[in-house]
Structure formats: structure tokens, C-alpha cells
Amino acid sequence: MSCAVARWPVPDAVERFSGGRGQPEQAVITVRIPTPEQIEMIECQNVLLEGATAEEVLAWAVETYYPRFSMATALGPEGCVIISMLAKIEPRVYVFNLDTGYQFHETLELRQRIAERYGVIVNLQRPDLGVEAYEAVHGGPLYKTDPDKCCFDRKVRVLERVAKNFDAWATGIRRDQSPTRANTPIVRWDKKFGLVKISPLATWTKNDVWRRILAEDIPYNPLHDQGYASIGCRPCTRAVSSGEDERAGRWTGTAKTECGLHTSNE
Ligand code: SF4
């Protein structure tokens, strides 16, 4: 199989209604839409990369999209592994963190250790309103009463803003993290944010990630040594017990399992 590279010219922007869970009715998102030929090329590339190593996937992404290639990270173990790879492949890739204002201080300290170790700056991308102003507008912390809207305002909206500057982004999601991530392709068109989404660790297991971290002494969040499996914002994350699902510590007591960044690609 041969695949032409799915480069842009970027398609015309379109306005698209964004409703549904966690997405306020009044929200209108402006996203790019690809041509059918571009979709076909992306799907073709996905097939070609299914058996590639994570480093090969990232090298392809850099070659194809850099400097309009970015990486989003919550500074979880997967993100730290990808940063260690990018440091060798192309350390100038724009890496960013959605800094909601509610993150653990351990997470922000890890950002500093990553910079010292790899020279890679994880740029903090923040919502327009700081935590104090945001809670004042909503009469208190919205994560207690409407976490979907809180995630939408403090993560999804911010990613929309960043995504407009790039043609592709990488994430650290893995197929074995949860049923909702089980079919994650290596490369796909991200309809929600209007750019190509690349998941170089999609085929990795949790053990693969930790083997790499330990083998290369990659910095990681010390909260993982205290039982935190998946780490998001402080108010919405707890440690998990042995045998619990990896993401069971996120939004405990609610039906919510995702923040909205990796859902709804239909
Ligand atoms: Fe708000 Fe919790 Fe979502 Fe963070 S994880 S943005 S605190 S609802």
C-alpha cells in the first residue's frame, strides 16, 4: 500500500454547532473540515503505522507536520515517555499542558523537572478566567455541581484555542486504559478539534509505559507512588485501590469518565 502524505492546504473553516454532554448549547466551535481525499490519506497512514514503534510514529508526525505539530500532556506517565522521545527526535515541538488552575502542585513541579532533564518546556495554556474569578461567576467551584461544564470551560475550550494554531497533535492515550479508548487509532482525523490526532502509544500497555520509565529513569509524578493511577485535577482525582480500574480515581461518584478531550469523534 502506498499513501500520499495528508498535508494541508488547510480546508476552509466552518462553524459547527457543538452540543451534548459537557458542551453547553450556546457553544459554537469553528473547526476545519478535511476533504474526502485527506480523510482517505489519514486512514491509509493509520494502517501503515499500526505496526510502527512509537518513535517511528513520532518521527513521521514531525516529518509530516512540524512545525504545525503539537503535543498535549497532563504530565502523566505516557506524556513523560513521549516527551523523552521528542527530546531526541525534535525537541522544538510545541508541548502544552491545559492548566485548569486545579492541578496538583506535584504535577507542576514535574513540569520543571522535565524542563531540567530534557530542555523541553511544557507550555501552560490557561482558560481566560482564573480559578477565583471563575468560581465567583458560578457561585462556587463548578466541579462540585457541573463537572462537565467545568471541564468544557477549563480544558476543551482551551484546547480549541490552541488547536487552531496547528495541523496535528499528539496525545498519550492507550487502548488498554478504558473501554472508551479501546479502539484508538494511531492516526485519525479529530473532528472535534479540526486537526489530525496522533496517539503513538495507542498499542502500549501500562506495563510497557512503566518499563520504559524505569529503564530510562524518566521523571514521573510522585503521586503515582501514593496510589494515584491516573492524575487529573486535584478535586476530581483520588488514589485507587489494588484491582481497581486505572481511571477509577477520576470523578469518583459520578458517571463521568472523560474530560471531553478524547470523546465524540462522530
Ligand atoms: Fe474542573 Fe475537575 Fe474537570 Fe478539572 S477535572 S476541569 S476541576 S471538573
Side-chain angles (χ1 to χ4, degrees):
M1 179 187 293
S2 70
C3 283
V5 174
R7 289 188 190 281
W8 306 113
V10 177
D12 291 339
V14 294
E15 284 207 334
R16 170 167 81 81
F17 171 74
S18 172
R21 183 180 172 82
Q23 300 187 10
E25 294 254 325
Q26 70 272 23
V28 176
I29 300 175
T30 304
V31 294
R32 292 169 287 191
I33 50 171
T35 63
E37 291 74 24
Q38 286 170 322
I39 288 287
E40 192 178 329
M41 286 188 279
I42 290 166
E43 289 173 351
C44 181
Q45 195 64 52
N46 175 56
V47 172
L48 289 176
L49 289 173
E50 177 65 26
T53 65
E55 287 89 343
E56 287 169 341
V57 172
L58 285 170
W60 166 81
V62 166
E63 185 186 352
T64 307
Y65 296 110
Y66 180 79
R68 292 185 59 82
F69 172 53
S70 63
M71 183 224 166
T73 178
L75 291 158
E78 295 80 10
C80 295
V81 166
I82 293 175
I83 289 171
S84 75
M85 295 172 178
L86 285 176
K88 295 176 193 155
I89 297 168
E90 179 47 83
R92 294 171 297 174
V93 167
Y94 186 83
V95 180
F96 66 98
N97 165 269
L98 301 175
D99 186 19
T100 61
Y102 292 115
Q103 295 192 100
F104 288 92
H105 70 84
E106 287 89 344
T107 304
L108 297 174
E109 283 173 5
L110 174 58
R111 170 180 176 264
Q112 188 57 37
R113 285 192 285 135
I114 290 280
E116 288 164 7
R117 171 72 182 271
Y118 299 110
V120 171
I121 303 299
V122 178
N123 298 273
L124 298 177
Q125 287 284 348
R126 299 185 169 114
D128 293 338
L129 291 182
V131 163
E132 202 175 325
Y134 186 68
E135 292 186 359
V137 166
H138 294 287
L142 213 50
Y143 58 76
K144 290 184 178 176
T145 55
D146 192 349
D148 282 340
K149 177 161 171 53
C150 184
C151 277
F152 183 80
D153 291 342
R154 306 198 74 75
K155 291 185 179 180
V156 175
R157 272 296 193 202
V158 180
L159 181 54
E160 284 169 15
R161 188 182 70 207
V162 178
K164 291 186 193 326
N165 299 318
F166 296 96
D167 293 339
W169 69 306
T171 82
I173 60 177
R174 308 188 326 265
R175 291 174 188 163
D176 77 341
Q177 278 174 316
S178 68
T180 56
R181 298 183 178 185
N183 298 316
T184 299
I186 305 291
V187 186
R188 80 185 310 174
W189 175 250
D190 187 335
K191 192 173 180 181
K192 187 169 192 174
F193 295 105
L195 73 178
V196 176
K197 183 173 183 177
I198 299 160
S199 302
L201 303 186
T203 61
W204 283 40
T205 65
K206 181 180 176 182
N207 283 345
D208 292 334
V209 173
W210 283 101
R211 258 196 301 271
R212 178 65 65 93
I213 285 176
L214 297 177
E216 296 191 4
D217 195 24
I218 295 170
Y220 65 91
N221 195 321
L223 291 172
H224 291 300
D225 294 331
Q226 299 171 35
Y228 289 81
S230 170
I231 300 172
C233 293
R234 184 175 17 83
C236 304
T237 305
R238 66 163 173 82
V240 296
S241 310
S242 160
E244 270 193 303
D245 184 83
E246 194 176 332
R247 288 180 63 81
R250 307 289 296 275
W251 303 284
T252 297
T254 76
K256 185 173 172 66
T257 58
E258 294 278 353
C259 58
L261 302 178
H262 303 299
T263 52
S264 300
N265 202 52
E266 302 310 316

